[in-house]
């Protein structure tokens, strides 16, 4: 009788552990989906010209991803890039440049090296930014 009860209890404990794992996975997946939805909503708001709303959404995404993925993940770097883009759209060129440069510094510190596709996008933004400064500078 004791062995039957012990097996049943052990079986229930195993089932509980399995269900807890499924619940955690489900929570993690929901959080990931929510983060992705907020990111997409931020991009839509950029296209609509709702820059303040887009910034709020992207900052939320940044904080979510930073905790989940770490500051050096590609996803975090992409969100930072879009935050820099928002500064450019608001003619805050120094802030945008600082963000772009800090992304390149972060990429240089990564053990696995930079994602060259993201690196190229950031470098192009810096080149465009330098071109903006050249066009808008006054010579005296």
């Amino acid at each position: 009788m004791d062995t039957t009860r012990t097996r049943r209890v052990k079986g229930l404990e195993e089932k509980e552990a399995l269900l807890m794992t499924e619940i955690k996975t489900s929570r993690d997946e929901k959080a990931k989906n929510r983060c992705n939805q907020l990111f997409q909503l931020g991009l839509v708001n950029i296209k609509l010209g709702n820059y303040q709303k887009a910034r709020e959404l992207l900052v939320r995404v940044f904080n979510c991803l930073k905790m989940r993925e770490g500051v050096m993940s590609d996803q975090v770097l992409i969100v930072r890039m879009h935050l820099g883009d928002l500064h450019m759209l608001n003619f805050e060129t120094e802030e945008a440049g600082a963000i772009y440069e800090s992304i390149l510094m972060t990429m240089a510190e990564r053990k696995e090296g930079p994602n060259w596709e993201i690196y190229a996008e950031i470098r192009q933004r810096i080149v465009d930014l330098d071109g903006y400064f050249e066009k808008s500078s006054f010579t005296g």
Side-chain angles (χ1 to χ4, degrees), residues 68-82:
R68 192 176 74 219
E69 306 288 334
V71 294
M72 294 191 179
S73 77
D74 287 348
Q75 291 175 314
V76 170
L77 298 177
I78 290 169
V79 172
R80 287 173 60 194
M81 179 178 67
H82 288 296

Side-chain angles (χ1 to χ4, degrees), residues 7-131:
R7 280 193 304 232
R8 196 171 85 211
V9 169
K10 186 173 180 169
L12 289 172
E13 288 173 345
E14 289 172 359
K15 187 173 184 175
E16 177 191 29
L18 180 63
L19 289 171
M20 292 302 290
T21 301
E22 288 177 13
I23 289 170
K24 183 186 180 320
T25 302
S26 177
R27 270 193 224 133
D28 291 346
E29 192 62 34
K30 283 181 183 176
K32 184 177 179 180
N33 287 340
R34 176 140 173 85
C35 201
N36 290 338
Q37 291 168 342
L38 290 173
F39 178 72
Q40 293 302 319
L41 188 57
L43 296 181
V44 167
N45 274 275
I46 289 172
K47 291 178 183 175
L48 290 173
N50 299 331
Y51 301 145
Q52 184 58 37
K53 180 70 174 174
R55 184 183 182 289
E56 291 169 9
L57 290 164
L58 291 177
V59 166
R60 286 175 61 187
V61 172
F62 172 75
N63 290 328
C64 168
L65 290 173
K66 182 174 69 169
M67 296 201 36
R68 192 176 74 219
E69 306 288 334
V71 294
M72 294 191 179
S73 77
D74 287 348
Q75 291 175 314
V76 170
L77 298 177
I78 290 169
V79 172
R80 287 173 60 194
M81 179 178 67
H82 288 296
L83 287 167
D85 296 345
L86 281 171
H87 283 290
M88 279 299 296
L89 292 167
N90 285 310
F91 304 102
E92 300 165 346
T93 54
E94 288 183 27
E95 292 87 347
I99 290 173
Y100 297 148
E101 292 289 340
S102 73
I103 293 170
L104 292 181
M105 287 189 283
T106 300
M107 293 178 102
E109 295 172 2
R110 291 180 5 165
K111 290 179 185 175
E112 68 273 11
N115 175 321
W116 293 109
E117 186 176 318
I118 297 172
Y119 180 86
E121 286 185 51
I122 297 298
R123 288 296 306 151
Q124 185 59 54
R125 281 169 167 79
I126 291 172
V127 167
D128 294 345
L129 189 59
D130 288 343

